[in-house]
Coordinates of all heavy atoms in Angstrom, one line a residue:
P1411 N 42.9 -249.8 11.3 CA 43.9 -249.7 10.3 C 44.3 -248.3 9.9 O 43.5 -247.4 9.9 CB 43.4 -250.5 9.2 CG 41.9 -250.7 9.4 CD 41.7 -250.3 10.8
S1412 N 45.6 -248.1 9.6 CA 46.0 -246.8 9.2 C 45.6 -246.5 7.8 O 45.2 -247.4 7.1 CB 47.6 -246.7 9.3 OG 48.2 -247.5 8.3
V1413 N 45.7 -245.4 7.3 CA 45.5 -245.0 5.9 C 46.3 -245.8 5.0 O 45.8 -246.3 4.0 CB 45.7 -243.5 5.7 CG1 45.5 -243.1 4.2 CG2 44.8 -242.6 6.6
D1414 N 47.6 -246.0 5.3 CA 48.4 -246.8 4.4 C 48.0 -248.3 4.3 O 47.9 -248.8 3.2 CB 49.9 -246.7 4.9 CG 50.5 -245.4 4.8 OD1 50.1 -244.6 3.9 OD2 51.5 -245.1 5.4
E1415 N 47.6 -248.8 5.4 CA 47.0 -250.2 5.4 C 45.7 -250.2 4.5 O 45.5 -251.2 3.8 CB 46.8 -250.7 6.8 CG 48.0 -250.9 7.6 CD 47.7 -251.3 9.1 OE1 46.6 -251.2 9.5 OE2 48.7 -251.5 9.8
G1416 N 44.9 -249.2 4.7 CA 43.6 -249.1 3.9 C 43.9 -249.1 2.4 O 43.2 -249.7 1.6
V1417 N 44.8 -248.3 2.1 CA 45.2 -248.2 0.7 C 45.8 -249.4 0.1 O 45.5 -250.0 -0.9 CB 46.2 -246.9 0.5 CG1 46.8 -247.0 -0.9 CG2 45.5 -245.6 0.8
L1418 N 46.6 -250.1 0.9 CA 47.2 -251.4 0.5 C 46.1 -252.4 0.4 O 46.2 -253.2 -0.6 CB 48.3 -251.8 1.5 CG 49.0 -253.1 1.3 CD1 49.7 -253.0 -0.1 CD2 50.0 -253.4 2.3
D1419 N 45.1 -252.4 1.3 CA 44.1 -253.4 1.2 C 43.2 -253.1 0.0 O 42.9 -254.1 -0.7 CB 43.2 -253.4 2.6 CG 42.1 -254.3 2.5 OD1 42.5 -255.5 2.4 OD2 41.0 -254.0 2.7
A1420 N 42.9 -251.9 -0.3 CA 42.2 -251.6 -1.5 C 42.9 -252.0 -2.8 O 42.3 -252.5 -3.7 CB 41.9 -250.1 -1.5
R1421 N 44.3 -251.8 -2.8 CA 45.0 -252.2 -4.0 C 45.0 -253.7 -4.1 O 45.0 -254.2 -5.3 CB 46.4 -251.7 -3.9 CG 46.6 -250.2 -4.0 CD 47.9 -249.7 -4.0 NE 48.0 -248.2 -4.3 CZ 49.0 -247.5 -3.9 NH1 50.1 -248.0 -3.2 NH2 48.9 -246.2 -4.1
R1422 N 45.1 -254.4 -3.0 CA 45.0 -255.9 -3.1 C 43.7 -256.4 -3.6 O 43.7 -257.2 -4.5 CB 45.3 -256.5 -1.7 CG 46.7 -256.4 -1.3 CD 46.9 -257.0 0.1 NE 48.3 -256.9 0.6 CZ 48.6 -256.8 1.9 NH1 47.7 -256.8 2.8 NH2 49.8 -256.7 2.1
K1423 N 42.6 -255.8 -3.2 CA 41.3 -256.1 -3.7 C 41.1 -255.8 -5.1 O 40.6 -256.5 -5.9 CB 40.3 -255.5 -2.8 CG 40.1 -256.1 -1.4 CD 39.2 -255.4 -0.5 CE 39.1 -256.0 0.8 NZ 38.3 -255.2 1.8
L1424 N 41.7 -254.6 -5.5 CA 41.6 -254.2 -7.0 C 42.3 -255.2 -7.8 O 41.9 -255.6 -8.9 CB 42.1 -252.8 -7.1 CG 42.0 -252.2 -8.5 CD1 40.6 -252.2 -9.0 CD2 42.6 -250.8 -8.6
A1425 N 43.5 -255.7 -7.3 CA 44.3 -256.7 -8.1 C 43.6 -258.0 -8.2 O 43.5 -258.6 -9.3 CB 45.6 -256.9 -7.4
V1426 N 42.8 -258.4 -7.2 CA 42.1 -259.6 -7.3 C 40.9 -259.4 -8.3 O 40.7 -260.3 -9.1 CB 41.5 -260.0 -5.9 CG1 40.4 -261.1 -6.0 CG2 42.6 -260.4 -4.9
L1427 N 40.3 -258.3 -8.2 CA 39.1 -258.0 -9.2 C 39.6 -258.0 -10.6 O 39.1 -258.6 -11.5 CB 38.5 -256.7 -8.9 CG 37.4 -256.2 -9.8 CD1 36.3 -257.2 -9.8 CD2 36.9 -254.9 -9.4
S1428 N 40.8 -257.3 -10.9 CA 41.4 -257.3 -12.2 C 41.7 -258.7 -12.7 O 41.4 -259.1 -13.8 CB 42.7 -256.5 -12.2 OG 42.4 -255.2 -11.9
E1429 N 42.3 -259.5 -11.8 CA 42.7 -260.9 -12.2 C 41.4 -261.7 -12.5 O 41.4 -262.4 -13.5 CB 43.4 -261.6 -11.0 CG 43.9 -263.0 -11.4 CD 44.9 -263.1 -12.5 OE1 45.6 -262.1 -12.8 OE2 45.0 -264.2 -13.1
E1430 N 40.4 -261.6 -11.7 CA 39.1 -262.3 -12.0 C 38.5 -261.9 -13.3 O 38.0 -262.8 -14.0 CB 38.2 -262.1 -10.8 CG 38.6 -262.7 -9.5 CD 38.8 -264.2 -9.5 OE1 37.8 -264.9 -9.8 OE2 39.8 -264.6 -9.2
V1431 N 38.5 -260.6 -13.6 CA 38.0 -260.1 -14.9 C 38.8 -260.6 -16.0 O 38.3 -261.2 -17.0 CB 37.8 -258.6 -14.9 CG1 37.5 -258.1 -16.3 CG2 36.8 -258.1 -13.9
L1432 N 40.1 -260.5 -16.0 CA 41.0 -261.0 -17.0 C 40.9 -262.5 -17.3 O 41.1 -262.9 -18.4 CB 42.4 -260.5 -16.7 CG 42.7 -259.0 -16.8 CD1 44.1 -258.7 -16.3 CD2 42.5 -258.5 -18.2
Q1433 N 40.7 -263.2 -16.2 CA 40.6 -264.6 -16.4 C 39.2 -265.1 -16.9 O 38.9 -266.3 -17.0 CB 40.9 -265.3 -15.0 CG 42.4 -265.2 -14.6 CD 43.4 -265.7 -15.7 OE1 43.1 -266.8 -16.2 NE2 44.4 -265.0 -16.0
G1434 N 38.3 -264.2 -17.1 CA 37.0 -264.5 -17.6 C 36.0 -265.1 -16.5 O 35.1 -265.8 -16.9
R1435 N 36.4 -264.9 -15.2 CA 35.5 -265.5 -14.2 C 34.4 -264.5 -13.7 O 33.7 -264.8 -12.7 CB 36.4 -265.9 -13.0 CG 37.4 -267.1 -13.4 CD 38.1 -267.6 -12.1 NE 39.2 -266.7 -11.8 CZ 40.5 -266.9 -11.9 NH1 40.9 -268.0 -12.6 NH2 41.4 -266.1 -11.5
M1436 N 34.3 -263.4 -14.4 CA 33.1 -262.5 -13.9 C 32.1 -262.4 -15.1 O 32.4 -262.9 -16.2 CB 33.8 -261.1 -13.7 CG 34.6 -261.0 -12.5 SD 33.6 -261.2 -11.0 CE 34.8 -261.2 -9.8
P1437 N 30.9 -261.9 -14.8 CA 29.9 -261.9 -15.8 C 30.3 -261.1 -17.0 O 31.2 -260.3 -17.0 CB 28.7 -261.2 -15.0 CG 29.0 -261.3 -13.6 CD 30.5 -261.4 -13.5
A1438 N 29.5 -261.3 -18.1 CA 29.7 -260.5 -19.3 C 29.5 -259.1 -19.0 O 28.9 -258.6 -18.2 CB 28.6 -260.9 -20.3
H1439 N 30.4 -258.3 -19.8 CA 30.4 -256.8 -19.8 C 31.0 -256.3 -18.4 O 30.8 -255.1 -18.2 CB 29.0 -256.2 -19.9 CG 28.3 -256.7 -21.2 ND1 28.7 -256.5 -22.5 CD2 27.2 -257.5 -21.3 CE1 27.9 -257.0 -23.3 NE2 27.0 -257.7 -22.7
S1440 N 31.6 -257.1 -17.6 CA 32.2 -256.7 -16.4 C 33.1 -255.5 -16.5 O 33.0 -254.5 -15.8 CB 32.9 -257.8 -15.7 OG 32.0 -258.8 -15.2
E1441 N 34.0 -255.6 -17.5 CA 35.0 -254.4 -17.7 C 34.2 -253.2 -18.0 O 34.6 -252.1 -17.4 CB 35.9 -254.8 -18.8 CG 36.9 -255.9 -18.5 CD 37.9 -256.1 -19.6 OE1 38.8 -255.3 -19.9 OE2 37.7 -257.2 -20.3
G1442 N 33.3 -253.2 -18.8 CA 32.5 -252.0 -19.2 C 31.7 -251.5 -18.0 O 31.5 -250.2 -17.8
I1443 N 31.1 -252.4 -17.2 CA 30.4 -252.0 -16.1 C 31.3 -251.3 -15.0 O 30.9 -250.2 -14.5 CB 29.6 -253.2 -15.4 CG1 28.5 -253.7 -16.5 CG2 29.0 -252.9 -14.1 CD1 27.9 -255.0 -16.1
I1444 N 32.4 -252.0 -14.8 CA 33.3 -251.4 -13.8 C 33.8 -250.1 -14.2 O 33.9 -249.1 -13.4 CB 34.5 -252.4 -13.5 CG1 34.0 -253.7 -12.8 CG2 35.6 -251.8 -12.6 CD1 34.9 -254.9 -12.8
A1445 N 34.2 -250.0 -15.5 CA 34.7 -248.7 -16.0 C 33.6 -247.6 -15.9 O 33.9 -246.5 -15.5 CB 35.1 -248.8 -17.5
G1446 N 32.4 -247.9 -16.3 CA 31.3 -247.0 -16.2 C 31.1 -246.4 -14.7 O 30.9 -245.3 -14.5
L1447 N 31.1 -247.4 -13.8 CA 30.9 -247.1 -12.4 C 32.1 -246.2 -11.9 O 31.8 -245.1 -11.2 CB 30.8 -248.2 -11.5 CG 29.5 -249.1 -11.7 CD1 29.6 -250.4 -10.9 CD2 28.3 -248.4 -11.3
A1448 N 33.3 -246.5 -12.4 CA 34.4 -245.7 -11.9 C 34.3 -244.3 -12.5 O 34.9 -243.4 -11.9 CB 35.7 -246.4 -12.4
E1449 N 33.7 -244.1 -13.6 CA 33.5 -242.8 -14.3 C 32.3 -242.1 -13.7 O 32.0 -241.0 -14.1 CB 33.3 -243.0 -15.8 CG 34.6 -243.6 -16.5 CD 34.2 -244.0 -17.9 OE1 33.1 -244.0 -18.3 OE2 35.2 -244.3 -18.6
G1450 N 31.6 -242.7 -12.8 CA 30.4 -242.1 -12.1 C 29.2 -242.2 -13.0 O 28.2 -241.4 -12.7
R1451 N 29.1 -243.1 -13.9 CA 27.9 -243.2 -14.8 C 26.8 -244.0 -14.0 O 27.1 -244.9 -13.2 CB 28.3 -243.9 -16.1 CG 29.3 -243.0 -16.8 CD 29.5 -243.6 -18.2 NE 30.7 -242.9 -18.8 CZ 30.6 -241.7 -19.4 NH1 29.5 -241.0 -19.4 NH2 31.6 -241.1 -20.0
S1452 N 25.6 -243.8 -14.4 CA 24.4 -244.5 -13.9 C 24.3 -245.9 -14.6 O 24.9 -246.0 -15.7 CB 23.1 -243.7 -14.1 OG 22.8 -243.6 -15.4
Q1453 N 23.6 -246.8 -14.0 CA 23.4 -248.1 -14.7 C 22.7 -247.9 -16.1 O 23.1 -248.5 -17.0 CB 22.6 -249.0 -13.8 CG 23.5 -249.5 -12.6 CD 22.7 -250.5 -11.8 OE1 21.9 -251.3 -12.2 NE2 23.1 -250.6 -10.5
P1454 N 21.6 -247.1 -16.2 CA 21.0 -246.9 -17.5 C 22.1 -246.3 -18.6 O 22.1 -246.8 -19.7 CB 19.9 -246.0 -17.3 CG 19.5 -246.2 -15.8 CD 20.8 -246.5 -15.2
E1455 N 22.9 -245.5 -18.1 CA 23.9 -244.8 -19.0 C 24.9 -245.9 -19.4 O 25.3 -245.9 -20.6 CB 24.7 -243.7 -18.1 CG 25.1 -242.6 -19.0 CD 25.7 -241.5 -18.1 OE1 25.5 -241.5 -16.9 OE2 26.4 -240.6 -18.6
I1456 N 25.3 -246.7 -18.5 CA 26.3 -247.8 -18.8 C 25.6 -248.8 -19.8 O 26.3 -249.2 -20.8 CB 26.7 -248.5 -17.5 CG1 27.5 -247.7 -16.6 CG2 27.5 -249.9 -17.9 CD1 27.8 -248.2 -15.2
A1457 N 24.4 -249.1 -19.6 CA 23.7 -250.0 -20.5 C 23.7 -249.4 -21.9 O 23.9 -250.2 -22.8 CB 22.2 -250.2 -20.0
R1458 N 23.3 -248.1 -22.0 CA 23.3 -247.6 -23.3 C 24.7 -247.6 -24.0 O 24.8 -247.9 -25.2 CB 22.9 -246.1 -23.3 CG 21.4 -245.8 -23.2 CD 21.0 -244.4 -23.3 NE 21.5 -243.5 -22.3 CZ 21.0 -243.3 -21.1 NH1 20.0 -244.0 -20.7 NH2 21.6 -242.5 -20.3
R1459 N 25.8 -247.3 -23.3 CA 27.1 -247.4 -23.8 C 27.5 -248.8 -24.3 O 28.2 -249.0 -25.2 CB 28.1 -246.8 -22.8 CG 28.0 -245.4 -22.5 CD 28.9 -244.9 -21.6 NE 29.6 -243.7 -22.2 CZ 30.9 -243.4 -22.2 NH1 31.7 -244.3 -21.7 NH2 31.3 -242.4 -22.8
L1460 N 27.0 -249.8 -23.5 CA 27.3 -251.2 -23.8 C 26.4 -251.8 -24.9 O 26.6 -252.9 -25.4 CB 27.3 -252.0 -22.6 CG 28.4 -251.7 -21.5 CD1 28.2 -252.5 -20.2 CD2 29.8 -251.9 -22.0
G1461 N 25.2 -251.1 -25.1 CA 24.3 -251.7 -26.1 C 23.5 -252.8 -25.5 O 23.1 -253.7 -26.2
V1462 N 23.2 -252.8 -24.2 CA 22.4 -253.8 -23.5 C 21.3 -253.2 -22.7 O 21.3 -251.9 -22.6 CB 23.3 -254.8 -22.6 CG1 24.3 -255.5 -23.5 CG2 24.0 -253.9 -21.5
S1463 N 20.5 -253.9 -22.2 CA 19.3 -253.3 -21.4 C 19.9 -253.0 -20.0 O 20.9 -253.5 -19.5 CB 18.1 -254.3 -21.2 OG 18.5 -255.4 -20.4
A1464 N 19.2 -252.0 -19.3 CA 19.5 -251.7 -17.9 C 19.4 -253.0 -17.0 O 20.2 -253.1 -16.0 CB 18.7 -250.6 -17.5
G1465 N 18.4 -253.8 -17.4 CA 18.3 -255.1 -16.6 C 19.6 -256.0 -16.6 O 19.9 -256.5 -15.7
V1466 N 20.1 -256.0 -17.8 CA 21.4 -256.8 -18.0 C 22.5 -256.2 -17.1 O 23.2 -257.0 -16.4 CB 21.8 -256.9 -19.5 CG1 23.2 -257.4 -19.6 CG2 20.8 -257.7 -20.2
V1467 N 22.7 -254.9 -17.2 CA 23.6 -254.3 -16.3 C 23.4 -254.5 -14.8 O 24.3 -254.9 -14.1 CB 23.8 -252.8 -16.6 CG1 24.7 -252.1 -15.6 CG2 24.2 -252.5 -18.0
H1468 N 22.2 -254.3 -14.4 CA 21.7 -254.6 -13.0 C 22.0 -255.9 -12.6 O 22.7 -256.2 -11.5 CB 20.3 -254.2 -12.8 CG 19.8 -254.4 -11.4 ND1 20.0 -253.5 -10.4 CD2 19.1 -255.4 -10.8 CE1 19.6 -253.9 -9.3 NE2 19.0 -255.1 -9.4
H1469 N 21.6 -256.9 -13.4 CA 21.8 -258.4 -13.0 C 23.3 -258.7 -13.0 O 23.8 -259.4 -12.1 CB 21.1 -259.3 -14.0 CG 21.4 -260.7 -13.9 ND1 20.9 -261.5 -12.9 CD2 22.2 -261.5 -14.6 CE1 21.3 -262.7 -13.0 NE2 22.2 -262.8 -14.0
N1470 N 24.1 -258.3 -14.1 CA 25.5 -258.6 -14.1 C 26.3 -257.9 -12.9 O 27.2 -258.5 -12.5 CB 26.1 -258.2 -15.5 CG 25.6 -259.2 -16.5 OD1 24.8 -260.1 -16.2 ND2 26.1 -259.0 -17.8
L1471 N 25.9 -256.7 -12.6 CA 26.5 -256.0 -11.4 C 26.3 -256.8 -10.2 O 27.2 -256.9 -9.4 CB 26.0 -254.6 -11.3 CG 26.6 -253.8 -10.2 CD1 28.1 -253.7 -10.3 CD2 26.0 -252.3 -10.2
A1472 N 25.1 -257.2 -10.0 CA 24.7 -258.0 -8.7 C 25.6 -259.3 -8.8 O 26.1 -259.7 -7.7 CB 23.3 -258.3 -8.7
A1473 N 25.7 -260.0 -9.8 CA 26.5 -261.2 -10.0 C 28.0 -260.9 -9.7 O 28.7 -261.7 -9.1 CB 26.3 -261.9 -11.3
L1474 N 28.4 -259.8 -10.3 CA 29.8 -259.5 -10.2 C 30.2 -259.2 -8.7 O 31.1 -259.6 -8.2 CB 30.1 -258.1 -11.0 CG 31.5 -257.7 -11.2 CD1 31.6 -256.9 -12.5 CD2 32.1 -256.9 -10.1
R1475 N 29.3 -258.4 -8.0 CA 29.5 -258.1 -6.6 C 29.5 -259.4 -5.8 O 30.4 -259.6 -4.9 CB 28.4 -257.3 -6.0 CG 28.5 -255.8 -6.5 CD 27.4 -255.0 -6.0 NE 27.7 -253.6 -6.3 CZ 26.6 -252.7 -6.5 NH1 25.4 -253.1 -6.5 NH2 26.9 -251.5 -6.8
E1476 N 28.6 -260.4 -6.1 CA 28.6 -261.6 -5.3 C 29.8 -262.5 -5.6 O 30.4 -263.0 -4.7 CB 27.3 -262.4 -5.8 CG 27.1 -263.7 -5.0 CD 25.8 -264.5 -5.4 OE1 24.8 -263.8 -5.8 OE2 25.9 -265.7 -5.4
R1477 N 30.2 -262.6 -6.8 CA 31.4 -263.4 -7.1 C 32.7 -262.8 -6.6 O 33.6 -263.5 -6.1 CB 31.5 -263.6 -8.6 CG 30.4 -264.5 -9.2 CD 30.6 -264.6 -10.7 NE 29.5 -265.3 -11.3 CZ 29.2 -265.4 -12.6 NH1 30.1 -264.9 -13.5 NH2 28.1 -266.0 -13.0
F1478 N 32.8 -261.5 -6.6 CA 33.9 -260.8 -6.1 C 34.0 -261.0 -4.5 O 35.0 -261.3 -4.0 CB 33.9 -259.3 -6.4 CG 35.1 -258.5 -6.0 CD1 36.3 -258.9 -6.2 CD2 34.8 -257.3 -5.3 CE1 37.5 -258.1 -5.8 CE2 35.9 -256.5 -4.9 CZ 37.2 -257.0 -5.1
T1479 N 32.9 -260.8 -3.9 CA 32.8 -261.1 -2.4 C 33.2 -262.5 -2.0 O 34.0 -262.7 -1.2 CB 31.4 -260.7 -1.9 OG1 31.2 -259.4 -2.1 CG2 31.3 -261.0 -0.4
E1480 N 32.7 -263.5 -2.8 CA 33.0 -264.9 -2.6 C 34.5 -265.1 -2.8 O 35.1 -265.8 -2.0 CB 32.2 -265.8 -3.6 CG 30.7 -265.9 -3.3 CD 30.0 -266.6 -4.4 OE1 30.6 -267.0 -5.4 OE2 28.8 -266.8 -4.2
R1481 N 35.1 -264.5 -3.7 CA 36.5 -264.7 -4.0 C 37.3 -264.1 -2.9 O 38.3 -264.7 -2.5 CB 36.9 -264.0 -5.4 CG 38.3 -264.4 -5.7 CD 38.5 -265.8 -6.1 NE 39.9 -266.0 -6.4 CZ 40.7 -267.0 -6.0 NH1 40.3 -267.8 -5.1 NH2 42.0 -267.0 -6.3
L1482 N 36.9 -262.9 -2.4 CA 37.7 -262.3 -1.3 C 37.6 -263.2 -0.1 O 38.5 -263.2 0.7 CB 37.2 -260.9 -1.1 CG 37.5 -259.8 -2.2 CD1 36.8 -258.5 -1.8 CD2 39.0 -259.7 -2.5
V1483 N 36.4 -263.7 0.2 CA 36.3 -264.6 1.3 C 37.2 -265.9 1.1 O 37.9 -266.2 2.1 CB 34.9 -265.1 1.5 CG1 34.7 -266.2 2.5 CG2 34.0 -263.9 1.9
Q1484 N 37.2 -266.4 0.0 CA 38.1 -267.6 -0.3 C 39.6 -267.3 -0.1 O 40.3 -268.2 0.4 CB 38.0 -268.1 -1.8 CG 36.7 -268.7 -2.1 CD 36.5 -269.0 -3.6 OE1 37.3 -268.5 -4.4 NE2 35.5 -269.7 -4.0
L1485 N 40.0 -266.0 -0.4 CA 41.4 -265.7 -0.2 C 41.6 -265.2 1.2 O 42.8 -264.8 1.5 CB 41.7 -264.5 -1.2 CG 41.7 -265.0 -2.7 CD1 41.8 -263.8 -3.6 CD2 42.8 -266.0 -3.0
G1486 N 40.7 -265.1 2.1 CA 40.8 -264.7 3.4 C 40.9 -263.2 3.6 O 41.4 -262.7 4.6
M1487 N 40.5 -262.4 2.5 CA 40.5 -261.0 2.6 C 39.3 -260.3 3.1 O 39.3 -259.2 3.4 CB 40.8 -260.4 1.1 CG 42.1 -260.9 0.6 SD 42.4 -260.4 -1.1 CE 42.9 -258.7 -0.9
L1488 N 38.3 -261.2 3.3 CA 37.0 -260.8 3.9 C 36.6 -261.9 4.9 O 36.8 -263.1 4.5 CB 35.9 -260.5 2.9 CG 35.9 -259.3 2.1 CD1 34.7 -259.2 1.2 CD2 35.8 -258.0 3.0
P1489 N 35.9 -261.7 6.0 CA 35.4 -262.7 6.8 C 34.1 -263.3 6.1 O 33.5 -262.7 5.3 CB 35.0 -261.9 8.1 CG 34.8 -260.6 7.7 CD 35.7 -260.3 6.5
P1490 N 33.9 -264.6 6.4 CA 32.7 -265.2 5.8 C 31.5 -264.5 6.3 O 31.5 -264.0 7.4 CB 32.7 -266.7 6.4 CG 34.1 -266.8 7.0 CD 34.7 -265.5 7.3
P1491 N 30.5 -264.5 5.4 CA 29.2 -263.9 5.8 C 28.5 -264.5 7.0 O 28.7 -265.8 7.2 CB 28.3 -263.9 4.5 CG 28.9 -265.0 3.7 CD 30.4 -265.1 4.1
V1492 N 27.9 -263.9 7.8 CA 27.1 -264.4 9.0 C 25.8 -264.9 8.4 O 25.1 -264.2 7.7 CB 26.9 -263.4 10.1 CG1 26.1 -264.0 11.2 CG2 28.2 -262.7 10.5
A1493 N 25.4 -266.2 8.9 CA 24.2 -266.8 8.4 C 23.0 -265.9 8.9 O 23.0 -265.4 10.0 CB 24.1 -268.2 8.9
A1494 N 22.0 -265.9 8.1 CA 20.8 -265.1 8.5 C 20.2 -265.8 9.7 O 20.2 -267.0 9.8 CB 19.8 -265.1 7.4
G1495 N 19.6 -265.0 10.6 CA 19.0 -265.5 11.8 C 20.0 -265.8 13.0 O 19.6 -266.0 14.1
G1496 N 21.2 -265.6 12.7 CA 22.2 -265.6 13.8 C 22.4 -266.9 14.5 O 22.9 -267.0 15.6
G1497 N 21.8 -268.0 13.9 CA 22.0 -269.4 14.5 C 21.1 -269.6 15.7 O 21.4 -270.5 16.4
R1498 N 20.0 -268.9 15.8 CA 19.1 -269.1 16.9 C 18.0 -270.1 16.7 O 17.7 -270.4 15.7 CB 18.4 -267.8 17.3 CG 19.3 -266.8 17.7 CD 18.5 -265.4 18.0 NE 19.6 -264.4 18.1 CZ 19.3 -263.2 18.4 NH1 18.0 -262.8 18.5 NH2 20.2 -262.3 18.5

């Protein structure tokens, strides 16, 4: 893909992520976690800013990634994951 296609794809994925967060379909503190990561902050730093434990940030970030990936697969923006073991 060209640079323009890559930028367009990233913008589409960002739009999906924004919609999912705005519709409340992402874990608690998603906006703060995403903003903190975009600012280059560490998970412990994000946790302090949000007033939660680093474990909460870690868990919610993992859930956010999983839900976002699932949504992109549902929309056909990512291929479905390959099953472990390769079907052997």
Side-chain angles (χ1 to χ4, degrees):
S1412 71
V1413 173
D1414 289 340
E1415 289 172 357
V1417 169
L1418 182 57
D1419 186 52
R1421 286 183 180 160
R1422 287 179 181 149
K1423 289 176 181 173
L1424 184 57
V1426 169
L1427 179 59
S1428 296
E1429 181 66 21
E1430 294 298 303
V1431 170
L1432 290 173
Q1433 294 299 318
R1435 292 188 286 255
M1436 290 293 174
H1439 308 292
S1440 290
E1441 289 180 72
I1443 293 170
I1444 293 167
L1447 291 172
E1449 294 167 354
R1451 300 187 187 284
S1452 68
Q1453 289 184 28
E1455 212 175 347
I1456 294 167
R1458 281 191 298 278
R1459 292 181 131 224
L1460 295 175
V1462 298
S1463 72
V1466 167
V1467 171
H1468 180 77
H1469 174 77
N1470 287 4
L1471 179 57
L1474 192 154
R1475 286 178 174 148
E1476 183 178 330
R1477 290 180 190 172
F1478 182 48
T1479 300
E1480 288 172 358
R1481 185 67 179 134
L1482 292 178
V1483 170
Q1484 288 173 352
L1485 294 171
M1487 297 174 80
L1488 282 180
V1492 177
R1498 294 180 194 178

